[in-house]
Amino acid sequence: MPLLHTRKGEQHTYDELSAMLRRYVAVAAKTGELSESFALYDLKGKGATDMWLAGEKLTAIQVLCGHESIMTTEKYVKTR
């Protein structure tokens, strides 16, 4: 079962989720609640960093992120 689903219970596509996030980001930017823009892609790095800070091994994070190289996972974590 998808975590986020349509009213019909179907899975959203990446494009649908990205469009929804862009709309919410635009509203938050207009109201001053958001100082920087971000995209759905940024949540992957945030999740990887939170897992690393919680003590998860980089190799486990690498698998979840779908990275071929552990170096890519390290970059995600180090840039945050």
Side-chain angles (χ1 to χ4, degrees):
M1 175 127 183
L3 180 62
L4 300 172
H5 52 84
T6 66
R7 292 180 182 169
K8 294 180 181 181
E10 299 168 348
Q11 187 171 349
H12 280 290
T13 65
Y14 179 87
D15 289 338
E16 289 169 337
L17 292 172
S18 188
M20 284 188 278
L21 182 61
R22 278 194 306 273
R23 286 193 300 269
Y24 286 112
V25 166
V27 169
K30 285 181 183 178
T31 61
E33 297 177 44
L34 182 65
S35 60
E36 293 183 32
S37 182
F38 67 93
L40 194 56
Y41 183 79
D42 296 316
L43 296 177
K44 182 177 176 181
K46 170 77 167 107
T49 301
D50 287 352
M51 289 175 65
W52 181 73
L53 291 173
E56 191 63 51
K57 294 182 180 182
L58 279 176
T59 51
I61 299 169
Q62 174 189 3
V63 170
L64 289 172
C65 288
H67 298 151
E68 287 187 24
S69 167
I70 193 72
M71 291 172 46
T72 304
T73 307
E74 289 173 340
K75 288 178 187 176
Y76 263 80
V77 171
K78 287 181 181 179
T79 59
R80 304 239 168 331

